[in-house]
Amino acid sequence: MKIATYNVENLFDMNDDGTEYEEYIPNGLWGWDETMYRTKLRHTAEVIRDIGADVIGLQEIESESALKDLKAELNRQGLYYPYYAFARTKNSTVNNALLSRYPIQSALKLPVSASRKYRDILEVKILLDGKPLRIFVNHWKSKSGPESERILCAKRLALRLKELPPDEPFVLIGDFNSHYEEYRTFLRSRKHNDTDGITGINHILHTIDSDNNPVTYGSLEKDATYLYNLWYELPENRRWSHQYRKTEEALDNIIISPALADGKGIEYARGSFNRFDPPYLFYKNKIYRWQQSRKYPKHHLGEGYSDHLPIYAVFTF
């Protein structure tokens, strides 16, 4: 089974809900119309089809309506997902979703805060040959804000994980807006480091040990609270999924629990983690994101895909 995660970069439908970004107001000044919407759906579906995941977590989906339209477009392109889940955060502009070829036993939202700037975490329990696997789809607060805002997301997630049986397997996926070694990279940023060096992805989720060393696959058996970030499966020069100016960062992550590395039941297939990066997702050595004109009047060009690259991993059972 292949599990993937993909921030699709602003998939908005054609319903005017009043919460859209200015450039995605239906039939507005930016030209977000039916033609642009259908083009964005086709491009997004093309990437998802080529990944070929059995389960895929999605970020920046505006609505359940947009998710259903994406499912329909995928079906036209030959990839059918019979099951889905969607977490609509009240008054949020974009939300988390999941598509699955396996039955979904349950789905619920984990509210981070009453503030609309924090997106609900989506928890989905799927069944694989009768065995349960929980998948948590995340989209943490962006780096326009300090680390304390992402720690709030991490604490909400960690609180829920503590409620699970210690041997229950789970996978954390999504856009954490955090590098896999955020505790090292953010020290240089006064804007982000408002927490005395403490980070959500590393310290709160325990992807580093008490000596500030990265948790390895082998060390998962030493402590049931440790979690393993799969970016360490790749060569260092490939550990990134997003470009900001001239900086390459691994904002998207797949993190596994010890129960997926204990040799029993559902297991992570070591060495299977990868970044999905075919040539068509790049233009002039940069990620080929959804294109908008830089000249006035600004408008959508109907070209490109997303400002994030998908990542995926294979699991056996």
Side-chain angles (χ1 to χ4, degrees):
M1 179 191 65
K2 182 187 288 187
I3 296 178
T5 180
Y6 185 29
N7 182 325
V8 303
E9 190 183 16
N10 298 327
L11 179 58
F12 283 81
D13 62 26
M14 290 305 295
N15 300 314
D16 191 346
D17 300 315
T19 55
E20 291 85 359
Y21 299 135
E22 178 188 3
E23 58 267 39
Y24 290 96
I25 295 174
N27 300 309
L29 296 176
W30 281 73
W32 184 251
D33 55 18
E34 188 69 25
T35 299
M36 285 296 162
Y37 177 47
R38 292 297 160 184
T39 302
K40 176 71 174 178
L41 284 171
R42 284 196 304 272
H43 287 203
T44 304
E46 177 186 356
V47 179
I48 296 173
R49 179 201 66 200
D50 291 350
I51 297 169
D54 299 289
V55 178
I56 183 165
L58 302 169
Q59 298 86 52
E60 298 197 10
I61 305 287
E62 184 196 15
S63 64
E64 192 169 344
S65 173
L67 182 64
K68 289 181 177 179
D69 286 344
L70 178 59
K71 269 174 56 24
E73 179 59 36
L74 282 162
N75 197 22
R76 280 190 285 271
Q77 295 191 23
L79 184 57
Y80 179 53
Y81 289 105
Y83 309 101
Y84 75 91
F86 181 76
R88 177 81 197 212
T89 305
K90 186 177 180 181
N91 295 323
S92 179
T93 306
V94 289
N95 302 275
N96 292 320
L98 181 137
L99 298 174
S100 176
R101 295 173 63 190
Y102 291 92
I104 293 176
Q105 188 176 47
S106 62
L108 59 107
K109 300 188 299 180
L110 306 179
V112 174
S113 168
S115 171
R116 61 177 289 184
K117 71 179 181 179
Y118 292 98
R119 291 165 285 263
D120 291 350
I121 298 167
L122 174 61
E123 176 186 338
V124 180
K125 187 177 182 181
I126 64 173
L127 293 177
L128 310 171
D129 269 4
K131 295 181 171 61
L133 174 67
R134 290 185 194 268
I135 302 175
F136 294 83
V137 185
N138 296 264
H139 190 188
W140 291 4
K141 186 68 179 66
S142 78
K143 286 196 170 181
S144 61
E147 182 62 18
S148 56
E149 296 181 335
R150 285 171 291 286
I151 279 186
L152 197 62
C153 301
K155 285 183 174 179
R156 178 63 185 95
L157 179 57
L159 181 65
R160 174 59 181 146
L161 297 179
K162 287 181 180 178
E163 296 173 348
L164 303 180
D167 59 346
E168 182 164 349
F170 61 81
V171 186
L172 314 180
I173 65 175
D175 178 2
F176 293 74
N177 274 303
S178 302
H179 192 66
Y180 65 94
E181 289 186 346
E182 187 71 19
Y183 72 108
R184 291 176 175 169
T185 61
F186 93 134
L187 291 176
R188 300 185 296 269
S189 173
R190 292 183 180 179
K191 174 182 177 181
H192 294 136
N193 187 5
D194 66 337
T195 56
D196 293 325
I198 302 299
T199 66
I201 193 169
N202 300 129
H203 296 88
I204 306 302
L205 294 186
H206 293 170
T207 59
I208 58 175
D209 63 22
S210 56
D211 295 321
N212 277 358
N213 296 314
V215 169
T216 65
Y217 182 90
S219 63
L220 284 176
E221 63 184 19
K222 297 178 183 178
D223 190 324
T225 66
Y226 283 173
L227 301 179
Y228 178 51
N229 195 315
L230 298 187
W231 276 115
Y232 289 104
E233 304 275 296
L234 291 185
E236 216 169 320
N237 65 339
R238 286 179 50 77
R239 294 179 193 170
W240 59 272
S241 60
H242 180 267
Q243 294 168 312
Y244 179 69
R245 296 177 180 171
K246 294 183 178 181
T247 302
E248 297 170 342
E249 293 185 292
L251 300 185
D252 308 275
N253 295 267
I254 298 180
I255 301 170
I256 65 169
S257 66
L260 291 167
D262 62 2
K264 297 180 290 185
I266 303 169
E267 290 287 287
Y268 166 62
R270 290 194 70 181
S272 67
F273 174 80
N274 212 338
R275 192 180 72 182
F276 185 71
D277 54 4
Y280 70 82
L281 290 184
F282 294 86
Y283 182 71
K284 294 183 178 180
N285 296 319
K286 294 182 179 180
I287 295 176
Y288 194 18
R289 67 181 302 176
W290 181 253
Q291 297 295 296
Q292 298 167 346
S293 70
R294 297 183 179 182
K295 298 180 180 179
Y296 287 93
K298 291 188 175 182
H299 58 280
H300 296 277
L301 298 177
E303 302 170 359
Y305 298 89
S306 169
D307 57 345
H308 288 250
L309 296 173
I311 54 176
Y312 64 87
V314 174
F315 296 80
T316 61
F317 52 97

